[in-house]
Amino acid sequence: MLTRTEELISGYLPDLPADRVTRIADTAFVVFKSGLDLVMAHEGPEREAYIAELKAVMYGYLHPLACARPTGVTAHDTDTP
């Protein structure tokens, strides 16, 4: 799954250096696995609430990286801090 995550990130951000893609994929993967533990520890509406939180976290981290950039702006220019 980690390799596939790197492939997806590279597809969205082809100009990003490989080491940065690896760090983003590693971080996203670990965050997802941690969130999944919370999801699986709950049932019913509470589980659904944790699913929504996990989606919000993943979206909040990955969306700024994958947003369209103006012409001439590279992925390096829009790195998160």
Side-chain angles (χ1 to χ4, degrees), residues 1-79:
M1 281 184 69
L2 187 55
T3 300
R4 181 66 182 132
T5 304
E6 287 181 6
E7 290 170 355
L8 287 168
I9 293 168
S10 291
Y12 278 98
L13 302 165
D15 297 332
L16 212 58
D19 61 332
R20 178 81 166 118
V21 169
T22 297
R23 283 192 300 275
I24 292 168
D26 286 346
T27 301
F29 195 71
V30 168
V31 169
F32 177 76
K33 285 189 341 182
S34 297
L36 192 57
D37 288 343
L38 284 169
V39 168
M40 298 307 292
H42 295 86
E43 294 182 10
E46 196 66 15
R47 177 179 280 187
E48 295 304 314
Y50 275 105
I51 290 170
E53 292 298 327
L54 180 55
K55 286 179 180 181
V57 168
M58 297 304 295
Y59 181 84
Y61 177 58
L62 295 172
H63 183 261
L65 297 170
C67 284
R69 290 178 292 280
T71 303
V73 176
T74 67
H76 178 70
D77 296 329
T78 59
D79 278 349

